[in-house]
């Protein structure tokens, strides 16, 4: 009876999103009944919801030592491994659960998520459909089906599934957020805004809905919408294909610049292509800056996004003003300052977009390192020092390498 009381209170708290209090209830129960597997599964879920995957995996490993043949233990362990991006291991455990009990739609839902996270859209769709064969109203499988169909560019089927999703649970914030992203990827930011707004009404702290609303607001601009569609298209491909596309664009740009040296009429095209490639790096913080200056748009930005927009705006402002000054005076310092301002936007934009501690650490070190080398070069120009050629070269090589390092981290 005591155990049931703790479990019931914890379940209510989890439904309310009060995971810290639910964790306290469950740990109190486990202090009395250390091998209560139901409590352990619920505790693992609480830890996942609070981004404590390392602690969660310890709980699920203990679960498997107590009840190695319980399919729901295999299921929760697979979820934790998937969150840790250990997809092969996660797939193995959830397949064992399905083999033991093939009539649970939740198991197929997890398997479809594992494939979705690996961008294996067709496999994700297949297992979402298998889950729906068991439970045609399974909201998780319907949402995965929507995403997979959108990524596979099967728009009509995706739209039909969207209707099913909203019919099953019209007051589900996750469903509205998922539909919002699908609409956004289908090139309909106005419809996306409606669903993101509804998701935020139902759950005002929902980050995936807030970031979606931010993208939908920026996508109202035609130029941003084109770039966003390019990013969506690129993101549909797996890592090796993405690398092939990026390297291909780089090689074509190099060839075009070489050819334009011989055929000057191609120079405007070469400059435009180079500028568009540059825009792919800065367009997100640049449009954050525009929203930062908008009396309504600024409220959707986080403090970090506002700070990033301010830094990027400052760096671009320095570049533009220095470029104008250089045209007027032909001063080397102003040309160097133009290059410095325009190129520092690249590490600055990535630093303020970073999410994981590893990304933040790497981008921070890179940004500080490049800025120091850049300032040393500028000081050397003022003092007319001979070593500016060396530091300037190091700086430009650093910027070039940054592009490849950042692409590697983004793809991963």
């Amino acid at each position: 009876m005591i155990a049931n009381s703790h479990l019931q209170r914890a379940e209510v708290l989890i439904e309310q999103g009060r995971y810290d209090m639910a964790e306290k209830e469950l740990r109190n129960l486990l202090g009395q009944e250390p091998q209560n597997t139901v409590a352990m599964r619920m505790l693992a879920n609480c830890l996942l919801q609070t981004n404590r995957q390392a602690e969660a995996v310890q709980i699920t490993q203990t679960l498997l030592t107590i009840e190695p043949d319980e399919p729901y233990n295999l299921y929760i362990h697979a979820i934790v491994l998937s969150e840790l991006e250990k997809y092969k291991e996660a797939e193995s455990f959830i397949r064992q659960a399905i083999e033991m009990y093939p009539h649970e739609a939740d198991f197929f839902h997890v398997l479809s998520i594992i494939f979705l996270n690996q961008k294996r859209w067709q496999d994700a769709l297949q297992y979402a459909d298998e889950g729906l064969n068991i439970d045609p109203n399974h909201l998780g499988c319907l949402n995965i089906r929507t995403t997979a169909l959108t990524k596979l560019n099967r728009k009509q089927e995706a739209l039909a599934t969207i209707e099913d999703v909203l019919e099953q649970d019209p007051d589900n914030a996750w469903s509205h957020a998922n539909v919002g992203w699908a609409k956004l990827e289908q090139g309909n930011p106005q419809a996306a805004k409606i669903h993101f707004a509804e998701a935020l009404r139902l759950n005002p702290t929902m980050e995936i809905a807030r970031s979606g609303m931010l993208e939908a607001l920026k996508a109202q601009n035609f130029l941003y919408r084109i770039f966003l569609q390019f990013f969506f298209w690129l993101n549909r491909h797996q890592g090796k294909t993405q690398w092939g596309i990026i390297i291909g664009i780089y090689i074509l740009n190099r060839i075009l610049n070489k050819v334009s040296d011989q055929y000057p009429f191609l120079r405007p095209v070469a400059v435009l292509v180079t500028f568009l490639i540059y825009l792919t790096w800065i367009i997100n913080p640049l449009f954050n800056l525009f929203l930062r200056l908008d009396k309504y748009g600024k409220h959707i930005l986080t403090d970090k996004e506002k700070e990033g927009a301010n830094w990027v705006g400052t760096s671009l402002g320095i570049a533009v003003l220095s470029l104008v000054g250089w045209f007027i005076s032909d001063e080397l310092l102003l040309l160097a300052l133009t290059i410095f301002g325009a190129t520092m936007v690249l590490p600055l934009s990535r630093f303020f977009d970073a999410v994981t501690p590893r990304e933040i650490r790497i981008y921070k070190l890179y940004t500080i390192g490049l800025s120091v080398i850049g300032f040393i070069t500028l000081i050397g120009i003022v003092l007319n020092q001979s070593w500016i050629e060396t530091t300037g070269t190091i700086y430009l090589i650093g910027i070039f390498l940054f592009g490849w390092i950042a692409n590697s981290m983004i793809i991963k």
Side-chain angles (χ1 to χ4, degrees):
M1 288 293 292
I2 294 174
N4 287 338
S5 176
H6 280 292
L7 292 173
Q8 287 171 4
R9 282 199 296 271
E11 187 174 6
V12 170
L13 290 167
I14 289 171
E15 288 175 358
Q16 295 173 346
R18 299 160 72 182
Y19 301 110
D20 53 342
M21 296 181 68
E23 179 184 346
K24 186 176 180 180
E25 286 287 342
L26 294 166
R27 289 197 184 277
N28 284 339
L29 173 56
L30 288 169
Q32 302 170 46
E33 300 180 20
Q35 295 194 332
N36 188 310
T37 55
V38 175
M40 292 173 76
R41 286 196 290 269
M42 292 173 69
L43 177 58
N45 179 41
C46 288
L47 294 171
L48 278 181
Q49 297 297 334
T50 51
N51 296 314
R52 292 152 66 190
Q53 289 86 348
E55 293 178 59
V57 78
Q58 293 177 355
I59 299 293
T60 57
Q61 284 171 342
T62 303
L63 267 172
L64 291 174
T65 61
I66 298 170
E67 294 178 348
D69 296 325
E70 167 55 54
Y72 283 94
N73 292 346
L74 297 165
Y75 158 77
I76 190 68
H77 188 56
I79 293 174
V80 176
L81 291 173
S82 178
E83 288 286 325
L84 290 168
E85 298 183 9
K86 297 181 178 181
Y87 298 123
K88 289 293 182 184
E89 292 179 59
E91 181 185 346
S92 173
F93 279 101
I94 198 61
R95 285 192 184 279
Q96 290 179 52
I98 290 171
E99 188 176 341
M100 291 179 187
Y101 188 68
H103 308 296
E104 177 57 76
D106 284 346
F107 295 175
F108 287 98
H109 176 225
V110 169
L111 187 55
S112 67
I113 289 174
I114 290 167
F115 287 123
L116 194 77
N117 288 339
Q118 297 177 85
K119 301 182 181 180
R120 293 168 61 178
W121 315 122
Q122 191 60 53
D123 290 327
L125 177 62
Q126 175 189 335
Y127 289 107
D129 282 343
E130 289 197 30
L132 290 169
N133 287 336
I134 298 168
D135 179 3
N137 300 323
H138 193 283
L139 200 57
C141 289
L142 283 169
N143 274 310
I144 296 295
R145 191 171 198 276
T146 299
T147 302
L149 287 169
T150 301
K151 296 295 185 183
L152 291 166
N153 207 28
R154 290 159 61 175
K155 294 183 180 179
Q156 293 305 315
E157 293 174 81
L159 288 171
T161 306
I162 283 171
E163 291 178 7
D164 290 339
V165 168
L166 296 178
E167 184 180 335
Q168 289 307 317
D169 191 351
D171 294 325
N172 187 290
W174 280 102
S175 294
H176 279 286
N178 190 49
V179 169
W181 279 103
K183 292 287 186 183
L184 196 56
E185 189 158 350
Q186 290 165 10
N188 191 345
Q190 292 300 328
K193 279 170 56 182
I194 294 171
H195 290 287
F196 289 133
E198 182 63 12
L200 289 169
R201 184 187 70 82
L202 295 165
N203 184 352
T205 62
M206 192 176 198
E207 173 57 25
I208 194 172
R210 186 207 64 85
S211 60
M213 178 63 85
L214 180 61
E215 292 301 311
L217 288 171
K218 291 187 286 188
Q220 292 178 119
N221 180 280
F222 178 71
L223 178 63
Y224 190 87
R225 190 156 64 246
I226 291 174
F227 276 87
L228 185 61
Q229 289 305 310
F230 169 74
F231 294 139
F232 278 136
W233 173 78
L234 185 63
N235 195 45
R236 289 173 193 162
H237 299 88
Q238 292 185 322
K240 289 181 180 179
T241 306
Q242 286 185 335
W243 270 119
I245 293 169
I246 291 168
I247 292 170
I249 291 172
Y250 172 76
I251 292 172
L252 286 172
N253 186 49
R254 293 286 294 175
I255 292 172
L256 185 58
N257 276 287
K258 286 285 185 184
V259 171
S260 68
D261 290 338
Q262 294 180 324
Y263 302 96
F265 68 90
L266 288 174
R267 175 54 59 185
V269 178
V271 171
L272 177 62
V273 170
T274 301
F275 179 67
L276 289 174
I277 292 171
Y278 177 68
L279 267 183
T280 63
W281 286 97
I282 71 165
I283 196 162
N284 186 51
L286 182 62
F287 273 77
N288 281 351
L289 178 61
F290 295 155
L291 283 179
R292 176 80 174 87
L293 302 174
D294 183 89
K295 63 179 180 179
Y296 299 115
K298 65 183 179 181
H299 297 297
I300 198 72
L301 294 167
T302 64
D303 289 341
K304 186 177 180 182
E305 287 166 341
K306 290 176 184 176
E307 188 179 358
N310 291 341
W311 276 100
V312 167
T314 301
S315 191
L316 285 175
I318 290 170
V320 171
L321 291 174
S322 300
L323 181 62
V324 172
W326 177 68
F327 273 123
I328 295 171
S329 65
D330 202 30
E331 283 286 336
L332 176 61
L333 176 63
L334 291 174
L335 176 60
L337 199 55
T338 300
I339 295 170
F340 180 63
T343 51
M344 276 305 297
V345 170
L346 307 183
L348 282 170
S349 64
R350 289 311 311 160
F351 172 63
F352 286 100
D353 274 348
V355 177
T356 67
R358 179 175 176 271
E359 285 180 336
I360 293 170
R361 185 171 63 253
I362 291 173
Y363 288 138
K364 185 176 183 179
L365 288 172
Y366 219 111
T367 303
I368 292 172
L370 283 172
S371 62
V372 169
I373 297 170
F375 276 121
I376 289 172
T377 304
L378 293 172
I379 292 169
I381 293 172
V382 172
L383 300 176
N384 198 24
Q385 296 296 310
S386 59
W387 40 258
I388 59 172
E389 187 174 333
T390 301
T391 56
T393 301
I394 292 171
Y395 177 82
L396 292 175
I397 291 172
I399 287 291
F400 174 78
L401 291 176
F402 174 80
W404 295 102
I405 292 169
N407 273 324
S408 176
M409 294 177 68
I410 291 166
I411 289 171
K412 185 175 183 300

